[in-house]
Amino acid sequence: MGSKESDETLDEIIESLTPNECSSVLFTSGTTGPPKAVMLSHDNLIFKVEATDIHLQMKNVNDRRVLLYLPLSHIAAQ
């Protein structure tokens, strides 16, 4: 998707990100009350990706197959 953008443009975007800046918004399921919007920050998502990588030990993704059964609205699917 980003092949048309120059490296300089992408570097500028990356440099402009701040840790507590909103990266994604998702909604709770509403099973215990009305659904609520939840803000996920860039640093939160990076932490979760790194923690998942450590837990699943996915050093060489080409050697593994992953079946995603969650809806795309679920944080683990994102």
Side-chain angles (χ1 to χ4, degrees):
M1 269 176 52
S3 62
K4 295 179 183 177
E5 295 296 330
S6 69
D7 286 345
E8 293 80 21
T9 301
L10 296 175
D11 289 340
E12 287 175 18
I13 292 170
I14 291 169
E15 290 297 319
S16 72
L17 300 176
T18 59
N20 289 322
E21 198 171 81
C22 182
S23 173
S24 179
V25 175
L26 58 108
F27 288 85
T28 62
S29 65
T31 55
T32 61
K36 297 170 189 72
V38 178
M39 179 201 91
L40 299 173
S41 62
H42 291 285
D43 51 335
N44 177 267
L45 290 175
I46 290 170
F47 172 81
K48 291 295 183 186
V49 167
E50 289 174 347
T52 301
D53 180 50
I54 291 169
H55 178 72
L56 296 178
Q57 299 177 356
M58 296 184 73
K59 298 300 177 206
N60 190 350
V61 179
N62 294 327
D63 291 342
R64 296 177 185 251
R65 294 180 189 219
V66 177
L67 172 64
L68 178 64
Y69 61 90
L70 296 167
L72 292 177
S73 60
H74 194 283
I75 183 58
Q78 291 186 13

